[in-house]
Amino acid sequence: MAVAIYPGSFDPVTLGHQDIIERCSKIMDKVIVGVLRNNSKSPLFSVEERVTMLSGVIGHLPNVEIQSFDGLLVDFVRQCRGDVIVRGLRAITDFEYELQLSQTNRVIAPEVDTMFLTTNLKYSYLSSSIVKEIAMYHGDISAFLHPDIARRVREKMDGID
Ligand code: PNS
């Protein structure tokens, strides 16, 4: 059974993330979405909120699980008995960082490989950070997020105002 680990901050989950998870779930026997708890990026949503939001939009996929994790990604992969890390590649700008991440992970855990899925062209420009910035200035984020996620982001931003 092939188990993929799809790690990230998911702060918040975007339609681009959802697209990768859905496509990955068709290729792999099981997908574990790993939500990073201790994030140096100071997330807008707590890890519990991010897990709940992910469950709301991908909970219908029978072979997908959502877990939070702390510490090194490769330790999480080992703990889950994962076969491969999956990451989305949006554009050439992602490549350098993703290469660095995957090569470093291979040095510290040689048995852990990384596979890349190219992001759907519709979402190739999309990032959680940009969505948060648009929301911060009360812009329209409905094209980037599931309606329930967009509502949660707006509510969170209203609470910060
Ligand atoms: O969604 P993101 O923020 O691009 O995801 C980045 C993530 C979570 C994959 C990366 O920060 C990560 O793996 N963090 C865990 C800590 C770790 O293993 N660091 C060493 C990797 S080189």
Side-chain angles (χ1 to χ4, degrees):
M1 181 160 107
V3 179
I5 309 296
Y6 180 53
S9 308
F10 306 105
D11 185 45
V13 56
T14 66
L15 293 177
H17 295 130
Q18 280 180 238
D19 174 61
I20 296 281
I21 296 167
E22 279 166 19
R23 283 162 53 213
C24 189
S25 75
K26 289 181 188 151
I27 301 167
M28 307 299 282
D29 296 310
K30 183 172 168 185
V31 180
I32 300 175
V33 179
V35 184
L36 183 65
R37 179 178 285 273
N38 277 348
N39 197 329
S40 56
K41 292 177 187 170
S42 311
L44 178 65
F45 291 96
S46 70
V47 73
E48 290 78 15
E49 288 174 312
R50 285 178 277 144
V51 168
T52 304
M53 288 156 83
L54 273 157
S55 307
V57 293
I58 54 156
H60 62 285
L61 298 169
N63 61 339
V64 178
E65 255 177 42
I66 304 153
Q67 290 186 31
S68 59
F69 76 100
D70 251 336
L72 287 180
L73 173 58
V74 290
D75 289 339
F76 177 64
V77 174
R78 284 170 170 160
Q79 179 201 315
C80 298
R81 298 186 183 285
D83 296 292
V84 69
I85 296 167
V86 169
R87 293 282 288 167
L89 267 187
R90 287 168 299 190
I92 196 74
T93 41
D94 277 345
F95 184 74
E96 213 170 318
Y97 171 65
E98 293 300 335
L99 187 69
Q100 187 182 27
L101 204 73
S102 62
Q103 303 286 43
T104 309
N105 284 334
R106 282 264 288 182
V107 171
I108 55 178
E111 81 284 11
V112 176
D113 238 315
T114 303
M115 275 175 23
F116 298 101
L117 283 182
T118 51
T119 302
N120 189 316
L121 261 188
K122 277 196 290 187
Y123 308 125
S124 59
Y125 58 88
L126 189 51
S127 80
S128 299
S129 316
I130 288 179
V131 170
K132 282 184 282 188
E133 190 166 326
I134 296 169
M136 195 167 75
Y137 295 112
H138 307 286
D140 181 6
I141 51 171
S142 58
F144 314 124
L145 306 177
H146 183 285
D148 294 344
I149 307 293
R151 181 181 47 77
R152 301 271 312 244
V153 172
R154 279 189 225 105
E155 284 170 3
K156 182 68 95 173
M157 290 293 178
D158 288 348
I160 292 170
D161 274 353

